[in-house]
Amino acid sequence: RKTFAMAPPAPPPGVIHVKPKVVVLLSAGDESLGSCFLGAYIGGLLAAAQYSDVQFLGVGGGARALLAPYEVDGCYPVVPPNFSEVVRPPKQWCQCVADQKSARISALKAAQMVLVCTDPTQTDEVAALLLEAFPRPQATKKPRKPSKKGKEAKPPEKAEAPPREPSDGDVAIVSLNPGVSAAKELWHKLDGLVTPDFISGSACFEVTYSASQKAFRLLVRGAIVLRRLSKSQKHCEKFLDLLSTTAMKLIFTHDPLHHSWGCATVISALTVPAALTSCPTACDALSSWKLRLVSAAVLLEVTDLLVEAFSTAQKNSQERRAASGDVSRRQMNREATWRPSASAVTLWSFASLISFLSLAVPDVVMKAASAWILPVEANLTSVAQWDLRHGGRNYVASRLRYALKVLSQDRESQMPATAALVRQFEEAAQEGRVPNLTVDDVFRDTFESNATLERVQKKGRSLVLQLLFCFCVVLLAIVYFGT
């Protein structure tokens, strides 16, 4: 039988093991509950593994009041990934920081690792808190001197620091914000201004709260995606070892952004339409063909504009290099290869997932197969549903609304289905009502006077034709070689 307890071995005689202190930053305002669930889950896993002394720190409010509804006997139970049993972290290794400024700064200064799990809308507030706790001495940026021609001089290239051995005084800030690009924005605000090392990452999964088990557990299975460490960050490998005690899968990549874009789009497309209906869980709602068409339309619009935006940006970059004379044949002939990736949450590609969602499979068959095919756990309420029931307003702000702002500059004509879905969710959140729309209402409001529906249905018909062609080829091969 598998057990999650990872109690460290007893130290040798005369040696005392001190658990590293880990501070988890949570959003304690009226933002999405996704930050609370994510931070409580990661912190609970670290404490349950018994290798870390975890403290929760609320941003915009107190962490204790935020987590009080989910407390059971003084701790916050979790269901580890790939496990079905509930694990209760030890009380002494899972505490909340008092909501006083001095206590918050003292907790941060005593930490060896700070996990940023706040809502992306609080990036400025988090950056100010970290700058106050970890200021770099004389970290003022000098203004650039103008050149003789009146143009601004280019800044000198920074020399990469040499690698060094790890020490007890090492501190790391690990950004695991939900959403799309919060880690990148936080890094720009802290770069060169704080003493700890910054490890950029993304939580490519979604955590919810199971009322029946009274524990935090995964709604969408996934992984923690982290940027590869540079040579000067060789000493930060011990922090990655500490994260591995959560039993979450770790993926290392040169740029976590394509994973965060892909996973946030897939998770939002599958859960936001379901949150607008009266269905109790996301899997129950996705058994309806019309609601799956809404999810497929959102995936199609976002992925198409993402690829187009990258191609345009790369073309402009090549033209600038060519105009300045700094260009090589390899750079000019290189084609766009950047694609959003959802490999952390599903084995399906975007094209396959869109085609599958658009198939007119009977609802009864899809309800039985959705838990096996879609990356959403059955019998669980999504974060979007929790937000609409408890006053959270920012779930789509860092996901689909951010995609509308960046990809189409809020022009709804380029992403009509996504814009309609975001508008429905934001109206329900502002009114503070629990949505009780039918699937037909969501379908009608999403596809009213736009051509995305026809594009999605073409994807489904194309998949059916491909399957029929493969079936005919296999059948002919069996008949030919059988005779």
Side-chain angles (χ1 to χ4, degrees), residues 4 73 132 191 242 256 273 286 315 318 360 389 445 448 481:
F4 182 73
D73 296 333
E132 185 176 0
D191 184 27
L242 197 61
L286 289 172
K315 182 180 178 181
Q318 290 178 350
R389 296 174 184 177
D445 295 341
E448 185 177 5
F481 290 105

Side-chain angles (χ1 to χ4, degrees), residues 375-396:
V376 181
E377 292 284 352
N379 304 321
L380 290 176
T381 304
S382 67
V383 177
Q385 291 173 304
W386 277 101
D387 280 353
L388 292 180
R389 296 174 184 177
H390 296 85
R393 299 175 298 180
N394 292 336
Y395 183 81
V396 297

Side-chain angles (χ1 to χ4, degrees), residues 252-264:
F252 300 95
T253 179
H254 176 69
D255 184 12
L257 200 58
H258 68 285
H259 280 280
S260 61
W261 265 111
C263 295

Side-chain angles (χ1 to χ4, degrees), residues 58 64 74 84 93 120-121 132 147 209 225 235 264 277 320 378 406 454:
R64 187 176 300 278
S84 57
W93 307 124
T121 57
E132 185 176 0
S147 62
Y209 182 75
V225 180
H235 58 280
T277 67
R320 287 194 300 269
V406 173
E454 181 62 26

Side-chain angles (χ1 to χ4, degrees), residues 133-145:
F134 306 106
R136 182 181 293 274
Q138 298 178 355
T140 57
K141 295 184 177 180
K142 296 181 180 180
R144 300 175 189 174
K145 295 181 180 180

